[in-house]
C-alpha cells in the first residue's frame, strides 16, 4: 500500500518539512490556510492584509 503525504498526520508532515519536503509543506498549508485566513481577516477586517499574512 502506497502512503501519500495527504494521509499523514500533522506531526509526521512536520518531520518531512524539517527534512526539506516542499510537498509536505503544501499539504499542511492546504489543510490550514482557510482557518488562518479567517483568523487574520477577523483581526484586521481587511482581505488583502489577511492574504498577505497567510
Amino acid at each position: 500500500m502506497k502512503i501519500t503525504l495527504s494521509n499523514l498526520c500533522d506531526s509526521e508532515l512536520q518531520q518531512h518539512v524539517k527534512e526539506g519536503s516542499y510537498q509536505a509543506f503544501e499539504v499542511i498549508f492546504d489543510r490550514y490556510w482557510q482557518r488562518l485566513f479567517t483568523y487574520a481577516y477577523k483581526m484586521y477586517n481587511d482581505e488583502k492584509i489577511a492574504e498577505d499574512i497567510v
Side-chain angles (χ1 to χ4, degrees):
M1 180 173 113
K2 183 179 178 182
I3 297 175
T4 62
L5 289 175
S6 61
N7 293 333
L8 298 178
C9 68
D10 291 348
S11 60
E12 292 171 313
L13 287 168
Q14 289 172 348
Q15 185 59 42
H16 284 280
V17 170
K18 287 180 185 178
E19 295 168 359
S21 172
Y22 183 76
Q23 291 82 10
F25 176 82
E26 286 181 321
V27 172
I28 292 173
F29 182 82
D30 288 344
R31 284 184 187 174
Y32 294 104
W33 77 266
Q34 289 178 317
R35 290 184 204 175
L36 294 168
F37 176 84
T38 300
Y39 181 77
Y41 184 78
K42 286 179 180 179
M43 287 188 71
Y44 294 97
N45 202 31
D46 186 305
E47 189 173 324
K48 180 66 175 144
I49 291 173
E51 286 177 2
D52 289 345
I53 290 170
V54 176

